[in-house]
Amino acid sequence: SVVAVIMVGGPTKGTRFRPLSLNIPKPLFPLAGQPMVHHPISACKRIPNLAQIYLIGFYEEREFALFVSSISNELRVPVRYLKEDKPHGSAGGLYNFRDLILEDNPSHIVLLNCDVCCSFPLPEMLEAHRSYGGMGTILVNKVSPESANQFGALVADPVTNELLHYTEKPETFVSDRINCGVYIFTPEIFTAIQGVSTQRKERATLRRVTSFEALQPANRSLPTDFVRLDQDILSPLAGKKQFYVYETRDFWEQIKTPGMSLKCSGLYLAQFRFTPPHLLASGNGSKNATISGDVYIHPSSKVHPTAKIGPNVSISANARIGAGARLVSCIILDDVEIKENAVVIHAIVGWKSSIGRWSRVQASGDYNAKLGVTILGESVTVEDEVVVINSIVLPNKTLNVSVQEEIIL
Ligand code: GDD
């Protein structure tokens, strides 16, 4: 059988996702109308002989309880949340729960970062992994040479696909092939992680006896149970016929910022093409609204028939979209009210916010720029005829004057 593990991190991570992560754990933020982590979970459903999906993180259990039970029912696959008492790093977190993961003697472990957006070609990777015969296979993608330094850069043998060299977030250019944060492992990975942690313990003991060394800041080391998959496992084991790569030509993005979540919401909408006219027809006249491109509207939301929606728009539960409103490239969260003739373009509108009549909330749509997408936190009020451009507004603010290129604290 196969066990899938999704690393979800914890509240001290994902800080670049503020102010949206102030309300909800980043892995549960909705993309294309579904929590971020819903997408890799539903991709795992395609794995033959999948026995179990674990989410590992250091958020409180109660934050994931509802999600885990509803997705288990919906997708009919057992999903469990496992809480670490503290961060152990991406490999240490996995190792921490080795007994549970290995309980039913799985042949393979699929490991996924929660904050990547891709088509998750897992069955194809598994097949490739079996043919390579190593301890692990890494999903790899080609990026622009300028952006390669934000990721784990690697070099692989073009014929055998063996991982030859791996550098995490290199300062100088190494390669335009990068680690996508999607892996297939055999259970031997646990022996490799154990090895790193044993090595650390030995070094720590050695340092205690040679006290001079202990005074050197460079030797102050990480806790023995903190192991990173990239720096501590992939780098040292590259070129040892243990790891192989599987290259995807499909879309792949990393979701570290609110701006990127808007881009990824669009990618998932396009992938599903679930522009569902039936979801619009929820008995409130909204089925007449003009829809263009990929749009998701939660059935509980009310959209006025004269509103124009799309492309790349996701509207969560209980939103009200008024007459003549125009929404393009945006995520509208629960309980938002958008009044008559308001315009929202390249923006994320936080829970319970309200946008006044004839107001505009917009941005350039440059997903990588700090203010390229306008973000309104929870319960923000934009009064009538106010224009908000390329700005971030923290929760509970009321805007009665127009702003541009501002962060409203
Ligand atoms: N449970 C748990 N515990 N999860 C963790 C921990 C931890 O201690 N540390 C990180 N994670 C989770 C994060 O939530 C994320 O899903 C994943 O592990 C990787 O996070 P980081 O270790 O912070 O790395 P990164 O996202 O900056 O970069 C990694 O992913 C890139 C692909 O998106 C690296 O592996 C890069 O090489 C890679 O390109």
Side-chain angles (χ1 to χ4, degrees), residues 19 25 88 124 126-127 146 155 167 171 200 212 227 232 307:
H88 292 88
E124 298 82 351
L126 255 170
E127 211 167 287
E146 309 78 65
V155 178
T167 317
E171 274 165 37
R200 287 239 177 94
F212 168 74
V227 185
D232 303 325

Side-chain angles (χ1 to χ4, degrees), residues 3-9 52-61 80-106 109 111 187 189-191 193-194 225 227:
V3 171
V5 176
I6 305 177
M7 301 307 280
V8 297
Q52 173 83 46
I53 301 176
Y54 291 116
L55 309 184
I56 298 181
F58 46 98
Y59 291 100
E60 291 306 322
E61 250 132 5
R80 252 182 89 181
Y81 177 72
L82 303 175
K83 183 185 182 291
E84 293 172 83
D85 52 352
K86 57 167 192 196
H88 292 88
S90 43
L94 184 74
Y95 187 75
N96 196 38
F97 294 105
R98 62 193 176 281
D99 294 343
L100 258 181
I101 295 167
L102 297 176
E103 198 167 47
D104 293 320
N105 284 317
I109 294 117
L111 183 73
I189 190 69
F190 291 101
T191 318
I193 303 171
Q194 162 102 64
D225 59 354
V227 185

Side-chain angles (χ1 to χ4, degrees), residues 97-167:
F97 294 105
R98 62 193 176 281
D99 294 343
L100 258 181
I101 295 167
L102 297 176
E103 198 167 47
D104 293 320
N105 284 317
S107 58
H108 296 90
I109 294 117
V110 173
L111 183 73
L112 309 171
N113 289 1
C114 74
D115 57 359
V116 299
C117 166
C118 67
S119 60
F120 299 105
L122 302 174
E124 298 82 351
M125 272 183 84
L126 255 170
E127 211 167 287
H129 174 83
R130 288 202 176 94
S131 74
Y132 302 148
M135 183 204 299
T137 297
I138 310 164
L139 187 69
V140 161
N141 173 41
K142 186 178 166 179
V143 297
S144 71
E146 309 78 65
S147 64
N149 63 354
Q150 304 165 31
F151 307 104
L154 51 84
V155 178
D157 185 308
V159 178
T160 63
N161 291 307
E162 188 200 338
L163 176 71
L164 297 177
H165 183 79
Y166 186 96
T167 317

Side-chain angles (χ1 to χ4, degrees), residues 284-302:
N284 48 38
S286 64
K287 60 168 162 270
N288 299 323
T290 308
I291 302 295
S292 63
D294 299 318
V295 169
Y296 169 83
I297 300 179
H298 190 276
S300 63
S301 283
K302 291 187 166 53

